């Protein structure tokens, strides 16, 4: 059946629809990861985004329930060059087409993704409408133009957990063997602003006792639990719009060690007096080079963000610890006096390289005061 992708600037791409039938709108972005499409689909940070994969062949390993980063697909649509007609993996429990159908998500194939990505790189990310079925392209363009803009959007409230819960699951030994699970270990409060499961596994793997709380949880409620540290998670939308969490972090600073990833990094920077900005097309993929300014080493890292901390941010005694070598954007900050640090990228990968796993060990050292 026909598939159409209509961009707000009037550009239209046609292909073959798969997954669910219908129409959806969202911000059109691209991801350069060679593997891990299921982790991409289920990452809450992609809420209200239509994702284009630059790798041309998608779906050949099927889907399984171990690789999900959340309990559902969060993308607004999925665009690929070629959808594999066959599944070949001993871990597979189904095919990608059925997976999207079951969750009401639209997919497009036979799209010239190279031309699409070049268009986004030149013009910047933009709103789009994705349709599977018989739809008028002009009507889809108008839908894209009327879709909500990501700037100023607080999407955290739409992805956070409804109530607090304890997390005990560890990584599969086949992927990460150095388990030190301790049910009586130091308590970590993890703010869920769209948290990935593999982040939580990385914490429990290191002997930390993890309790996940909704993003709206006030600082005094967290401090009343006497945590050994607080973690700020990844998530979707404009960080500056999540004003209540910025205030919460300001009330936590200096009272407990804090570690932030992605949106959590941006929230920490804002709490320290910094600023954030919308990027032209963002960083999304598993091959971004980041330089650690403290060691001089370069890490190949996994990214998924469309906002960044501005270079002129004043961080109240904080310092920049990491930069992106492609465009010099800020990738990490710390404030030793207040016991807080964060990175813009994803050290837990999933998908992506494991060069940055040491950051979780750094958090453990701060939590255990060693």
């Amino acid at each position: 059946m026909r598939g159409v992708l209509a961009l707000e600037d009037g550009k239209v791409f046609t292909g073959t629809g798969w997954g669910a039938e219908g129409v959806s709108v969202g911000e059109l972005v691209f991801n350069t990861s060679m593997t891990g499409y299921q982790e991409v689909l289920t990452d809450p940070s992609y809420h209200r985004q239509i994702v284009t994969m630059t790798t041309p062949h998608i779906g050949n390993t099927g889907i399984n329930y171990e690789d999900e980063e959340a309990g559902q697909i969060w993308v607004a649509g999925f665009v690929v060059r070629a959808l594999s007609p066959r599944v070949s993996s001993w871990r597979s429990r189904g095919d990608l087409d059925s997976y999207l159908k079951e969750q009401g998500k639209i997919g497009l194939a036979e799209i010239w993704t190279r031309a699409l990505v070049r268009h986004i790189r030149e013009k910047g990310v933009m709103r789009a409408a994705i349709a599977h079925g018989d739809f008028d392209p002009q009507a889809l363009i108008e839908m894209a133009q009327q879709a909500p803009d990501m700037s100023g959007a607080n999407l955290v409230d739409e992805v956070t957990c409804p109530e607090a819960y304890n997390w005990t699951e560890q990584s599969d030994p086949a992927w990460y063997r150095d388990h030190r699970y301790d049910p009586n270990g130091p308590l970590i409060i993890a703010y869920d602003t769209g948290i990935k499961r593999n982040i939580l596994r990385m914490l429990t793997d290191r002997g930390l006792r993890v309790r996940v709380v909704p993003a709206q949880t006030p600082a005094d409620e967290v401090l009343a639990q006497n945590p050994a540290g607080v973690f700020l998670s990844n998530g979707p939308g404009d960080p500056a719009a999540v004003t209540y969490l910025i205030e919460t972090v300001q009330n936590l600073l200096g009272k407990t060690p804090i570690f932030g990833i992605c949106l959590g990094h941006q929230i920490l920077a804002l709490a320290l007096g910094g600023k954030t900005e919308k990027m032209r097309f963002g960083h999304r993929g598993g091959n971004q080079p980041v330089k650690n300014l403290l060691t001089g080493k370069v890490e190949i890292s996994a990214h998924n963000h469309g906002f960044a901390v501005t270079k002129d941010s004043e961080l109240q005694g904080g310092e920049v610890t990491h930069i992106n070598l492609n465009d010099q954007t800020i990738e990490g900050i710390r404030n030793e006096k207040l016991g807080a640090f964060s990175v813009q990228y994803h050290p837990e990968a999933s998908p992506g390289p494991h060069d940055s796993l040491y950051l979780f060990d750094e958090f453990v050292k701060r939590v255990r005061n060693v």
Side-chain angles (χ1 to χ4, degrees):
M1 187 178 288
R2 185 183 184 214
V4 180
L5 181 68
L7 283 57
E8 66 173 288
D9 68 350
K11 190 80 171 179
V12 174
F13 293 82
T14 58
T16 302
W18 54 283
E21 296 181 27
V23 63
S24 181
V25 296
E27 182 182 64
L28 180 64
V29 301
F30 63 90
N31 185 293
T32 60
S33 293
M34 297 290 289
T35 61
Y37 55 81
Q38 188 173 351
E39 291 94 323
V40 169
L41 288 168
T42 55
D43 183 346
S45 297
Y46 284 112
H47 180 41
R48 291 200 193 177
Q49 291 182 320
I50 300 170
V51 178
T52 302
M53 300 299 292
T54 60
T55 300
H57 198 60
I58 298 293
N60 54 310
T61 57
I63 63 99
N64 64 77
Y65 301 109
E66 292 79 12
D67 289 346
E68 291 184 331
E69 287 299 326
Q72 68 179 80
I73 295 175
W74 280 104
V75 302
F78 200 47
V79 181
V80 303
R81 179 68 184 93
L83 177 66
S84 176
R86 293 187 178 182
V87 172
S88 180
S89 171
W90 65 273
R91 301 175 68 232
S92 178
R93 298 295 181 267
D95 64 273
L96 190 54
D97 183 21
S98 300
Y99 189 53
L100 263 67
K101 283 180 180 175
E102 291 169 0
Q103 300 202 33
K105 300 295 183 177
I106 301 168
L108 292 187
E110 305 305 322
I111 297 291
W112 190 10
T113 52
R114 179 173 293 180
L116 176 57
V117 170
R118 286 194 59 155
H119 187 72
I120 299 173
R121 282 182 61 91
E122 293 173 0
K123 306 294 184 180
V125 295
M126 61 186 74
R127 296 165 295 178
I130 183 172
H132 177 187
D134 189 15
F135 291 89
D136 175 31
Q138 184 57 43
L140 294 175
I141 293 172
E142 294 173 1
M143 288 182 64
Q145 294 170 343
Q146 296 169 10
D149 190 79
M150 195 62 73
S151 295
N154 174 11
L155 303 186
V156 168
D157 291 347
E158 299 178 15
V159 300
T160 190
C161 57
E163 56 186 22
Y165 63 93
N166 296 321
W167 178 272
T168 58
E169 181 181 321
Q170 295 179 271
S171 300
D172 188 316
W175 316 131
Y176 186 81
R177 293 182 296 174
D178 191 19
H179 291 173
R180 298 188 297 275
Y181 176 67
D182 182 359
N184 299 312
L187 173 65
I188 300 301
I189 300 296
Y191 273 91
D192 178 12
T193 54
I195 200 164
K196 292 173 61 181
R197 290 173 175 174
N198 209 47
I199 289 175
L200 296 171
R201 296 186 190 105
M202 289 292 104
L203 295 173
T204 55
D205 286 346
R206 288 162 173 76
L208 302 178
R209 184 163 43 101
V210 181
R211 183 163 179 79
V212 184
V213 299
Q216 301 88 346
T217 307
D220 57 355
E221 185 175 323
V222 167
L223 293 173
Q225 300 178 62
N226 194 29
V230 167
F231 176 78
L232 308 175
S233 86
N234 60 292
D238 187 340
V242 196
T243 53
Y244 61 82
L245 186 55
I246 297 169
E247 181 180 350
T248 295
V249 174
Q250 289 173 335
N251 292 327
L252 291 170
L253 282 168
K255 299 173 183 175
T256 184
I258 297 176
F259 177 29
I261 287 177
C262 200
L263 182 76
H265 160 78
Q266 298 158 2
I267 293 292
L268 176 61
L270 290 167
L272 289 170
K275 296 180 291 184
T276 55
E277 61 186 350
K278 186 82 164 63
M279 303 176 74
R280 185 171 179 78
F281 49 80
H283 299 159
R284 296 174 182 88
N287 52 4
Q288 293 279 337
V290 167
K291 184 175 182 179
N292 185 328
L293 300 178
L294 304 176
T295 65
K297 294 182 178 180
V298 175
E299 306 161 25
I300 303 303
S301 53
H303 288 235
N304 175 17
H305 63 103
F307 290 82
V309 177
T310 62
K311 296 178 183 179
D312 62 348
S313 289
E314 297 181 4
L315 302 172
Q316 294 181 9
E319 62 179 320
V320 175
T321 58
H322 300 73
I323 59 168
N324 189 290
L325 291 180
N326 284 335
D327 58 12
Q328 306 302 304
T329 53
I330 294 175
E331 296 286 357
I333 62 173
R334 72 175 182 179
N335 187 308
E336 285 296 294
K337 183 178 180 180
L338 297 176
F341 75 108
S342 63
V343 290
Q344 179 64 79
Y345 52 102
H346 285 263
E348 84 287 350
S350 191
H354 293 172
D355 296 25
S356 307
L357 286 179
Y358 71 91
L359 290 164
F360 290 101
D361 298 322
E362 288 294 322
F363 185 46
V364 172
K365 290 178 182 178
R366 293 167 183 261
V367 164
R368 294 184 180 275
N369 196 26
V370 297

